[in-house]
Amino acid sequence: MAAIPSQARSKTLRACLLCSVIQAPIDFKKNGCPNCEEVLQMKNSPDRIASCTTTQFDGVIAVVDPDNSWVARWQRTAKYVRGMYAVRVTGRIPEEVEDELTSRGIKYRPRDQNDQD
Amino acid sequence: MSNDEHPMFDDDRHGGAQEEEEEEQADEPMDDAPSKKSKPRQKGLEEEDEEEDEEEDEEDEEEDTGRKSKKRPKHRHKKRDALSRFLDIEAEVSEDEEEEEDEEEYGADNFITHGETDDVDDELTRRNHALLDSSRHFEEEDKSPEEIAKAVARRHRDRAVPYTGDMNEIPQRLLMPSVHDASLWQVRVKPGRERDIVFSLMRKAIDVEYTARPLNILSAFQRDSLPGMIYVEARSAKQVQQACLGLVGVYPSRGIQLVPIEEMASLLQIKKQEMTLTPGTWVRIRRGKYAGDLAQVVDLTENGEDIGLRLIPRIDMNPRDDAALDPAAKKRKKPTAGPGTMRPPQRLFNYEEILKVWGRKHVTKRNQSFVFQNDTYTDGFLEKDFKFNALIVDDVNPTLDEITQFTRRQDGGEDNVVNLSAIAEASRKAAIAVLQPGDHVEVFEGEQSGVHGVVDEINGDVVTLTAQGLDLDGQKMEIPARGVRKRFKPGDHVKVMAGTNTDETGLVVSVADNVVTFVSDMSMQEISVFSKDLREAAEVGTGSNTVGNYELYDLVQLDAQTVGVIFKIERDTFRVLDQNGQVRLVQPHQISMRRDSTRAIATDSEGHELRVNDNVKEVDGEGRKGRVLHTHQSFFAFLHNRDIAENGGVFVTRTRSLASLAPKSNVLKTAGADLSKMNPALIAPTGGMVGSGAMGRGPRDRHIGATVTVIKGPHKSYVGTIKDTNGQIARVELRTGNRIIMIDKEKLRRRLPNGKLEPLDQPLRIPNQMGPPTSNSYASAGSFGGRTPFNMGKTPNPYNVDGRTPAWNASSRTPNPYADGGRTPAWNATSRTPNPYATGDGSRTPVWTVHGRTPNPYATGANAGAPSTGGGWGGATPGRNAGWQTPARTAATSSTTTTTTTTSGWGAPADGWNTPGRPASSGWDTGSSWSAPTPAAAATPGVHLGQTPAAPTPAAVSQTPDGVWSLPIAHTAATPGVSASGYIPSRGSDEGVDPNWLFDPVLVNYLPRLKIIIKGTNTAQYLDGDYENRTGRILAAQENPAEFEQTARVRFDDDGEERSIIARYIIPQTASKILEDVLIIGGTHKGRAMVVRERPEHDDRDHNPLIVVGAKHEFSIENVPSKWVVPLGE
């Protein structure tokens, strides 16, 4: 379960560049990203948070039931925790993270919706 | 899906151990860092041991296929991460709820962890068992349950789930929704609250999850580009409704609409055009001190959030007080710097200036930059990071001015050249929009670079052009629109289509890339603009005649002494000709106000009045002609003549050297006319009564208001009123058809009330001579036009004239003007004449005096009559009233009156008084008798001025009782003779109401409304007098042959009885109420429905007091004897 930001309008809300989960910066700092902490390791690391999350996102999804939700599946967040997700996130994860993913054989899909297949 | 994952999973398994080690290492410092953490961890290990023990047996059983098949369900409850050495411990603490949640979250990927945990368990448990087992119990007991719970919770969080990129391999198209998926429902919400509502839905879903009625929605989302709606994923609309229940700002009542399955994906794919910023891009600041300012991107952070900008600082060079200088006070100061305060102007950072104003300690130097108030200034520019959200990146459209500011560096560095490509880039989009077929363009980009030609066609972003020149001549080619720009060559005449120089025209002098420099036709200055903003144009012009509040030919105040007329408007300056004949170049802000001279009056060389728009010419000097634009201080006149080239045809001259081109009548020339206008006594009463504006201003042309008949042309024989004149052309409002026509005055003849025509320009009686009486009183009345111009026009009948004259109102409503008269200049003037009225000054009843002194029969008459009518007239002049009343009575008989008057020796030219000697007996009906009031002339200003012994008006009155009616106009305020009382007598007994009035055809329409009363039946014993004094309405009146008694059918008001009554007993009721609807049954207004404006104080019918009535919807006043006034019912 991701932390649900208390302030919906807050300009400071950040979306994870990898999984698009939206949290308040403080939550990223405390707990990291609920889905990709293993890769991004943002916990207690403001620098990582700054480089791996962004305030540049558009559209907010409340994923209540990820397993059954088509929206979550479409957004490729069906396997992630429940929480708030962004529809579109501008930006890419840092290159070393991308490399890491590649080395694991995971294809990185930017969440900016610029290329879709 | 699972197929896809298996290979992945295998990969993981291989690298799993490795990763776990890394994880462990990564975890360790994290856990150890806080000293507290070591404890729980130890404890955790112990617990794990315990669990391990319990499960040992089973594990053995199923060793090869993942030893912990039974343990697996348990593991599922916890995070089965790579380093799940503590998994079992957590199980022991076993917070059920949390486990369940975890299960939901991670249930899907158990198999992954399975492999991982195998290794971990083996390795770690064995290593730590012995070590921790012993200490475990102690520590366990030391802890409170809360602490344990906390520790476990922390551990839970600390576990990082391996990122697997779930479902990444599935192409998006395979994720399209199917019929088995839940639907999307569109819900209307309050615009601006979409995001809050989505968050609220999430929180609500969590809150009610374990209640009896959990939310059955799967997800909800909002898009910034779809304001006012959110989308909820659920199986049914009802579930959506339920979810939205109780949320503020959601309008489920506006319909929960199903999103068609094929549109679902596109909702999530909406993408707004994003402008990517690169260093060098121009942007604008959205808000704050620099709102709207242009800025250039210097650098960007990697995620594009913070953008380093360079912009021109706005530093407050006038810090308000010392407190502002004190950094500690900064916070306090900030709120006061609200929108009301002026923002400092853009200005490059100047170290010395800042030092001077702010002091040394506020500025520090760092390398090449200065730091001031936490901002860095380099080369005079502010360099500051802004958030992306705070910038406007679309439609920036930097202007050349703005951009050149950026290049104007303090140190004159290398960057001095305008980076045109950057500008071009910024305005490229706009450039496409401004291209039009026929434009001459050149290609500046791509393979065809350098080719130029004429645009044939524009299709989206592709321009088809016909190349010109070289070997490509005539070829058609398609070029992307962004690669072409308009082409101009020196010598072209161009017009600016956009920007601050809009509408400027000029000749191109140089072209540098896309910047075109031309010399303005208007200001002769060089102006540089982007070629995209130019068009070739033949026209030369200023474009607009208005800048700010000022228009061409406005009279403007430049300073306390100087006024001038704008004769030319340039882009943002005016050329003004001041009253001294000097031309000034004036900025709008230098003008203090615009002056209105439309009401200013000046006199020309001949003493004529001179007004705006008069056509005049100079009598001396150059003899220039022109139209008066403005007059100033009655001394200067600004004229305009299109034929004069200098100063746009505007020139200034003195009013005294001007003469009107259109000769004016003599009347207005006289000083008398002017003075009368200035006489407050004359003007005041009029102002209060008839629409004062027209009265106060006086006529421009004495023909205005005249009733005329057209004698030539298509409108021949039409009757109308002159509304306005312009030279020889008159605008005549026709009586018929409610039309206004323009017609030459030659074709008009003044129409007299008796239907006679006379030339318009027939010389009128000059007021200060008692003038040879004309046969027509109206001519003389005309000379009063100044005061009652339209009276005459509208109602060529004496009653009207009377009725509308101010005198009437004045006398009846206000303290008698005569009383006041004593104080007016007119009075003084008269008093200087050898006029008996002079004596009247002192006493308020000059008439009395006068009469008393003359052997005039009226005097006696006056005595006799006084008691009867005196009451009707204001206290000031009762005597006069009375005085006139009596003679009037006798008037019918008396031609002697005339003689008496003359003999009375009033000093008036005898002939003036004699002529009217029309037999008064001619009565009301004869038009000729109305012309009688020639003496009215006496009432003209001349009288008041006392230039002539015209005063004896009263004589005139007495002389012709009929004339009395017209007199009041003339006398309005000034002459005592005008006493209104004169009227009373004038109605001789010969004027009665026709006994058969009821049957007058003009009344037919009003019959049923007439309020009548039965009178006279008692004496006649008609119907035993039963109906005497009963009131009722006429139902029908039919005139019978003469030999029969005339009867009318009457319905009585009280009991509704209807019966025929002999007509002669049917008498109109008396109109008694102000504003009562009445019908006039006699006199000139016969048949008109009017409204009582004023009632006589005295309503003795026999004396026929007057009722002042007005037409219902006009503001005009007539006097009608009350016996002719019949009240109308509804």
Side-chain angles (χ1 to χ4, degrees):
Chain A
M1 175 86 217
I4 308 299
S6 56
Q7 277 291 323
R9 314 266 209 121
S10 169
K11 294 269 180 222
T12 59
L13 288 188
R14 301 188 76 88
C16 173
L17 285 166
L18 192 53
C19 67
S20 79
V21 73
I22 298 173
Q23 291 192 133
I26 182 103
D27 292 320
F28 275 116
K29 190 169 177 231
K30 262 204 252 168
N31 308 322
C33 172
N35 303 307
C36 24
E37 181 60 15
E38 183 232 351
V39 182
L40 300 180
Q41 298 178 357
M42 293 188 285
K43 195 158 92 172
N44 291 324
S45 167
D47 289 349
R48 293 289 287 178
I49 294 172
S51 61
C52 298
T53 66
T54 178
T55 57
Q56 298 282 298
F57 60 86
D58 167 34
V60 173
I61 311 173
V63 180
V64 180
D65 183 354
D67 295 327
N68 298 312
S69 163
W70 166 80
V71 174
R73 202 156 71 240
W74 176 264
Q75 290 290 318
R76 301 176 194 272
T77 59
K79 296 297 174 205
Y80 296 153
V81 300
R82 302 202 299 170
M84 308 305 294
Y85 287 83
V87 176
R88 195 164 71 93
V89 185
T90 309
R92 290 179 83 97
I93 51 172
E95 265 178 46
E96 71 269 13
V97 179
E98 225 172 297
D99 293 344
E100 158 104 29
L101 288 178
T102 319
S103 73
R104 289 198 205 179
I106 299 171
K107 187 184 174 194
Y108 170 57
R109 285 175 188 273
R111 294 208 168 255
D112 55 11
Q113 294 184 344
N114 278 341
D115 48 336
Q116 289 190 334
D117 48 9
Chain B
M1 191 193 318
S2 54
N3 288 343
D4 279 314
E5 275 182 347
H6 275 300
M8 214 164 67
F9 161 60
D10 288 341
D11 286 345
D12 273 1
R13 231 218 288 246
H14 291 301
Q18 242 181 0
E19 263 179 64
E20 282 149 26
E21 299 244 312
E22 282 168 22
E23 279 284 315
E24 189 177 13
Q25 282 157 12
D27 265 9
E28 225 122 39
M30 242 191 259
D31 285 357
D32 290 343
S35 57
K36 245 176 142 185
K37 274 190 181 168
S38 56
K39 258 192 190 174
R41 189 203 184 154
Q42 276 185 339
K43 193 200 89 187
L45 290 172
E46 293 163 286
E47 286 165 353
E48 188 182 41
D49 290 349
E50 205 172 67
E51 188 177 301
E52 205 74 19
D53 291 342
E54 286 167 15
E55 291 175 351
E56 205 118 340
D57 300 346
E58 294 151 38
E59 280 170 27
D60 288 341
E61 280 173 27
E62 340 170 25
E63 196 125 339
D64 26 13
T65 57
R67 301 175 295 148
K68 298 183 195 160
S69 67
K70 188 169 179 208
K71 189 178 165 189
R72 199 182 301 147
K74 265 192 178 174
H75 273 274
R76 233 189 273 146
H77 293 269
K78 303 136 215 149
K79 308 201 173 191
R80 267 166 301 254
D81 56 9
L83 301 180
S84 52
R85 8 167 209 185
F86 309 130
L87 284 182
D88 294 341
I89 309 163
E90 288 156 16
E92 185 182 296
V93 175
S94 120
E95 291 173 347
D96 281 337
E97 220 176 72
E98 198 165 358
E99 279 168 10
E100 272 171 40
E101 269 180 61
D102 289 347
E103 180 171 48
E104 279 171 26
E105 285 164 26
Y106 296 100
D109 41 10
N110 12 357
F111 48 75
I112 298 176
T113 47
H114 169 53
E116 288 159 357
T117 42
D118 267 352
D119 300 328
V120 171
D121 285 349
D122 282 347
E123 200 180 325
L124 290 177
T125 53
R126 281 176 203 152
R127 200 198 306 152
N128 294 318
H129 264 211
L131 196 69
L132 299 172
D133 199 24
S134 55
S135 57
R136 180 190 102 196
H137 292 285
F138 302 102
E139 284 173 335
E140 183 115 69
E141 275 148 27
D142 287 343
K143 288 181 182 172
S144 70
E146 289 84 3
E147 269 179 302
I148 295 167
K150 225 194 265 169
V152 171
R154 192 179 316 124
R155 255 199 319 279
H156 272 258
R157 281 199 314 262
D158 291 351
R159 295 298 143 266
V161 186
Y163 182 76
T164 56
D166 287 314
M167 300 157 61
N168 261 1
E169 297 304 312
I170 308 168
Q172 194 101 42
R173 65 191 136 80
L174 296 184
L175 296 174
M176 281 303 212
S178 73
V179 285
H180 304 295
D181 289 311
S183 314
L184 276 184
W185 305 87
Q186 184 196 66
V187 184
R188 294 279 178 176
V189 299
K190 187 176 180 190
R193 300 255 314 141
E194 304 89 355
R195 193 178 276 197
D196 307 64
I197 286 160
V198 170
F199 272 79
S200 303
L201 277 172
M202 186 73 196
R203 288 190 209 102
K204 188 175 178 187
I206 295 166
D207 287 348
V208 301
E209 188 172 12
Y210 299 110
T211 62
R213 311 182 64 183
L215 290 194
N216 287 316
I217 61 169
L218 304 177
S219 72
F221 68 91
Q222 149 271 337
R223 296 307 308 266
D224 294 347
S225 38
L226 299 170
M229 45 190 80
I230 63 164
Y231 295 87
V232 179
E233 187 182 16
R235 297 271 168 202
S236 74
K238 198 174 163 227
Q239 292 169 346
V240 177
Q241 178 116 36
Q242 198 194 344
C244 295
L245 211 67
L247 289 184
V248 178
V250 187
Y251 309 131
S253 56
R254 289 222 229 141
I256 293 170
Q257 280 164 3
L258 179 69
V259 177
I261 198 165
E262 61 270 21
E263 290 174 20
M264 284 165 68
S266 48
L267 282 177
L268 290 163
Q269 284 174 319
I270 297 174
K271 191 162 83 179
K272 65 173 174 216
Q273 274 295 337
E274 181 129 322
M275 175 123 178
T276 49
L277 293 174
T278 51
T281 315
W282 296 105
V283 295
R284 283 186 197 281
I285 315 296
R286 199 181 286 277
R287 56 187 94 84
K289 184 159 68 163
Y290 295 101
D293 283 3
L294 189 71
Q296 193 171 25
V297 177
V298 178
D299 51 21
L300 300 142
T301 54
E302 209 170 305
N303 56 16
E305 248 178 86
D306 284 311
I307 293 136
L309 296 181
R310 191 169 66 149
L311 62 160
I312 299 165
R314 290 180 183 272
I315 299 169
D316 188 0
M317 297 308 277
N318 302 303
R320 215 162 302 152
D321 46 32
D322 290 345
L325 289 170
D326 181 10
K330 212 174 152 196
K331 260 184 195 157
R332 225 182 328 130
K333 184 194 148 204
K334 229 174 186 174
T336 61
T341 56
M342 276 261 287
R343 70 170 175 176
Q346 282 193 321
R347 196 155 177 201
L348 291 179
F349 183 87
N350 183 322
Y351 180 62
E352 279 76 26
E353 279 180 33
I354 300 287
L355 270 192
K356 221 185 284 170
V357 177
W358 290 85
R360 190 167 290 275
K361 64 175 176 180
H362 285 272
V363 197
T364 51
K365 192 160 198 259
R366 194 180 291 162
N367 300 329
Q368 289 300 303
S369 320
F370 297 96
V371 178
F372 170 67
Q373 288 184 342
N374 295 328
D375 287 330
T376 312
Y377 296 86
T378 311
D379 293 332
F381 292 102
L382 168 63
E383 293 198 332
K384 194 173 179 176
D385 282 359
F386 282 83
K387 292 275 180 232
F388 184 86
N389 294 334
L391 303 180
I392 302 170
V393 293
D394 297 324
D395 297 326
V396 174
N397 287 333
T399 65
L400 197 55
D401 284 350
E402 285 176 310
I403 288 168
T404 44
Q405 276 185 301
F406 274 84
T407 61
R408 205 189 304 134
R409 296 200 151 191
Q410 278 185 320
D411 52 3
E414 288 174 7
D415 272 345
N416 242 348
V417 184
V418 181
N419 183 356
L420 291 168
S421 65
I423 310 167
E425 185 67 34
S427 49
R428 186 171 271 175
K429 245 186 211 159
I432 299 170
V434 300
L435 278 183
Q436 288 184 16
D439 281 348
H440 204 146
V441 296
E442 68 180 329
V443 184
F444 64 94
E445 241 182 21
E447 288 176 21
Q448 311 296 333
S449 180
V451 174
H452 62 94
V454 176
V455 176
D456 286 331
E457 197 180 315
I458 299 164
N459 193 356
D461 283 351
V462 178
V463 176
T464 309
L465 55 86
T466 309
Q468 291 180 343
L470 301 172
D471 39 341
L472 288 169
D473 201 282
Q475 282 191 32
K476 294 211 174 205
M477 49 182 66
E478 291 191 344
I479 308 280
R482 50 177 15 222
V484 302
R485 63 171 172 238
K486 291 193 191 170
R487 182 174 192 265
F488 297 95
K489 54 185 184 298
D492 284 347
H493 194 257
V494 293
K495 181 176 184 185
V496 185
M497 306 305 289
T500 48
N501 292 304
T502 303
D503 289 340
E504 198 88 49
T505 60
L507 277 183
V508 175
V509 290
S510 76
V511 179
D513 283 342
N514 56 355
V515 177
V516 174
T517 305
F518 67 92
V519 174
S520 164
D521 290 329
M522 286 183 281
S523 60
M524 292 301 162
Q525 284 162 339
E526 286 196 4
I527 296 169
S528 293
V529 293
F530 289 125
S531 55
K532 71 180 172 69
D533 295 331
L534 284 178
R535 293 220 69 186
E536 276 191 66
E539 66 199 280
V540 178
T542 59
S544 97
N545 268 352
T546 312
V547 172
N549 290 326
Y550 306 109
E551 273 181 45
L552 195 61
Y553 303 136
D554 271 355
L555 182 68
V556 292
Q557 183 95 41
L558 300 180
D559 56 51
Q561 286 81 38
T562 322
V563 297
V565 169
I566 296 171
F567 66 86
K568 192 173 183 199
I569 295 184
E570 285 163 12
R571 193 156 59 81
D572 48 6
T573 54
F574 304 108
R575 286 196 185 263
V576 174
L577 178 75
D578 69 14
Q579 84 258 38
N580 304 318
Q582 284 169 342
V583 175
R584 300 186 178 205
L585 193 62
V586 176
Q587 303 266 325
H589 65 86
Q590 292 174 282
I591 296 175
S592 52
M593 64 181 290
R594 190 173 56 158
R595 305 206 24 156
D596 182 12
S597 73
T598 50
R599 283 164 195 266
I601 302 173
T603 43
D604 63 11
S605 60
E606 296 165 41
H608 291 258
E609 77 182 39
L610 192 67
R611 284 171 179 275
V612 170
N613 283 334
D614 282 346
N615 283 310
V616 293
K617 77 172 185 203
E618 284 180 306
V619 290
D620 49 11
E622 302 170 59
R624 292 172 292 191
K625 293 178 183 175
R627 184 173 59 91
V628 178
L629 288 175
H630 297 283
T631 57
H632 175 59
Q633 291 178 345
S634 303
F635 189 72
F636 295 105
F638 291 93
L639 308 186
H640 178 239
N641 183 346
R642 287 184 191 284
D643 298 336
I644 296 175
E646 194 188 357
N647 295 342
V650 176
F651 57 98
V652 62
T653 181
R654 298 187 177 171
T655 55
R656 280 293 172 191
S657 63
L658 293 175
S660 178
L661 278 177
K664 303 203 174 179
S665 85
N666 292 336
V667 178
L668 289 178
K669 255 191 198 176
T670 62
D674 266 350
L675 284 172
S676 70
K677 251 179 227 135
M678 294 167 202
N679 181 346
L682 288 177
I683 290 166
T686 59
M689 158 182 188
V690 193
S692 48
M695 303 296 271
R697 191 171 157 185
R700 306 250 10 254
D701 183 311
R702 67 204 162 81
H703 295 141
I704 291 175
T707 301
V708 292
T709 301
V710 184
I711 54 158
K712 276 182 192 160
H715 293 99
K716 182 172 172 175
S717 89
Y718 279 63
V719 178
T721 307
I722 296 181
K723 305 303 281 185
D724 195 7
T725 59
N726 184 7
Q728 265 308 103
I729 304 294
R731 292 176 71 232
V732 176
E733 184 184 75
L734 298 183
R735 293 272 172 83
T736 322
N738 195 19
R739 268 193 305 155
I740 294 184
I741 58 167
M742 306 275 279
I743 192 161
D744 195 314
K745 276 186 188 170
E746 291 297 312
K747 296 180 184 169
L748 297 177
R749 288 288 181 275
R750 189 186 297 277
R751 182 187 166 87
L752 307 181
N754 57 10
K756 284 185 187 164
L757 302 181
E758 72 171 19
L760 260 188
D761 287 324
Q762 176 118 348
L764 296 178
R765 200 158 308 121
I766 295 161
N768 56 5
Q769 308 154 4
M770 277 324 275
T774 62
S775 62
N776 151 18
S777 66
Y778 287 96
S780 65
S783 62
F784 306 116
R787 270 165 288 148
T788 58
F790 48 77
N791 286 349
M792 310 173 37
K794 282 194 196 149
T795 55
N797 107 36
Y799 284 105
N800 271 349
V801 177
D802 282 351
R804 292 193 196 162
T805 40
W808 264 108
N809 256 1
S811 59
S812 48
R813 280 194 202 155
T814 62
N816 192 327
Y818 302 133
D820 289 331
R823 272 171 262 141
T824 62
W827 271 106
N828 287 336
T830 42
S831 66
R832 267 184 260 126
T833 63
N835 179 328
Y837 282 99
T839 61
D841 263 333
S843 82
R844 290 208 181 151
T845 56
V847 178
W848 277 106
T849 346
V850 168
H851 285 292
R853 275 196 246 129
T854 55
N856 188 328
Y858 293 118
T860 53
N863 285 329
S868 60
T869 50
W873 296 92
T877 59
R880 260 179 275 146
N881 286 338
W884 297 110
Q885 185 178 11
T886 343
R889 288 250 171 89
T890 59
T893 61
S894 118
S895 62
T896 56
T897 344
T898 331
T899 47
T900 1
T901 328
T902 22
T903 51
S904 63
W906 288 86
D911 53 343
W913 301 107
N914 287 336
T915 32
R918 65 221 50 117
S921 57
S922 56
W924 292 92
D925 296 333
T926 54
S928 63
S929 76
W930 292 110
S931 62
T934 353
T940 55
V943 175
H944 309 148
L945 290 168
Q947 286 170 336
T948 65
T953 358
V957 180
S958 51
Q959 173 184 18
T960 57
D962 303 317
V964 170
W965 285 99
S966 64
L967 273 176
I969 346 154
H971 300 298
T972 55
T975 50
V978 192
S979 59
S981 55
Y983 305 131
I984 300 155
S986 69
R987 255 164 284 118
S989 50
D990 52 331
E991 316 255 329
V993 176
D994 180 354
N996 286 334
W997 62 277
L998 259 183
F999 308 104
D1000 195 310
V1002 301
L1003 306 187
V1004 155
N1005 287 336
Y1006 295 97
L1007 271 182
R1009 292 179 62 197
L1010 293 179
K1011 290 163 115 176
I1012 51 93
I1013 187 163
I1014 308 301
K1015 290 266 190 195
T1017 53
N1018 269 344
T1019 45
Q1021 288 297 302
Y1022 173 65
L1023 296 173
D1024 296 335
D1026 282 351
Y1027 292 92
E1028 182 73 11
N1029 284 337
R1030 288 183 68 175
T1031 60
R1033 306 278 181 93
I1034 306 288
L1035 287 181
Q1038 181 71 50
E1039 190 159 16
N1040 296 329
E1043 57 269 26
F1044 296 103
E1045 197 67 274
Q1046 302 295 338
T1047 58
R1049 198 154 178 83
V1050 174
R1051 172 161 58 201
F1052 293 99
D1053 291 335
D1054 41 9
D1055 57 0
E1057 184 188 348
E1058 295 178 16
R1059 68 160 296 146
S1060 289
I1061 300 285
I1062 293 181
R1064 67 170 181 270
Y1065 300 119
I1066 299 176
I1067 309 288
Q1069 289 180 25
T1070 309
S1072 54
K1073 283 181 296 199
I1074 303 286
L1075 291 182
E1076 188 170 15
D1077 284 337
V1078 295
L1079 183 70
I1080 311 303
I1081 57 166
T1084 17
H1085 295 299
K1086 187 153 115 179
R1088 284 181 69 184
M1090 295 179 137
V1091 167
V1092 177
R1093 299 285 185 199
E1094 201 157 318
R1095 211 161 49 85
E1097 287 88 41
H1098 160 7
D1099 53 7
D1100 178 356
R1101 231 166 225 290
D1102 296 334
H1103 287 104
N1104 285 328
L1106 286 165
I1107 285 188
V1108 182
V1109 293
K1112 201 159 183 182
H1113 299 293
E1114 298 165 35
F1115 199 80
S1116 63
I1117 301 290
E1118 320 285 348
N1119 301 299
V1120 177
S1122 59
K1123 66 175 176 191
W1124 286 341
V1125 174
V1126 183
L1128 288 176
E1130 287 312 309

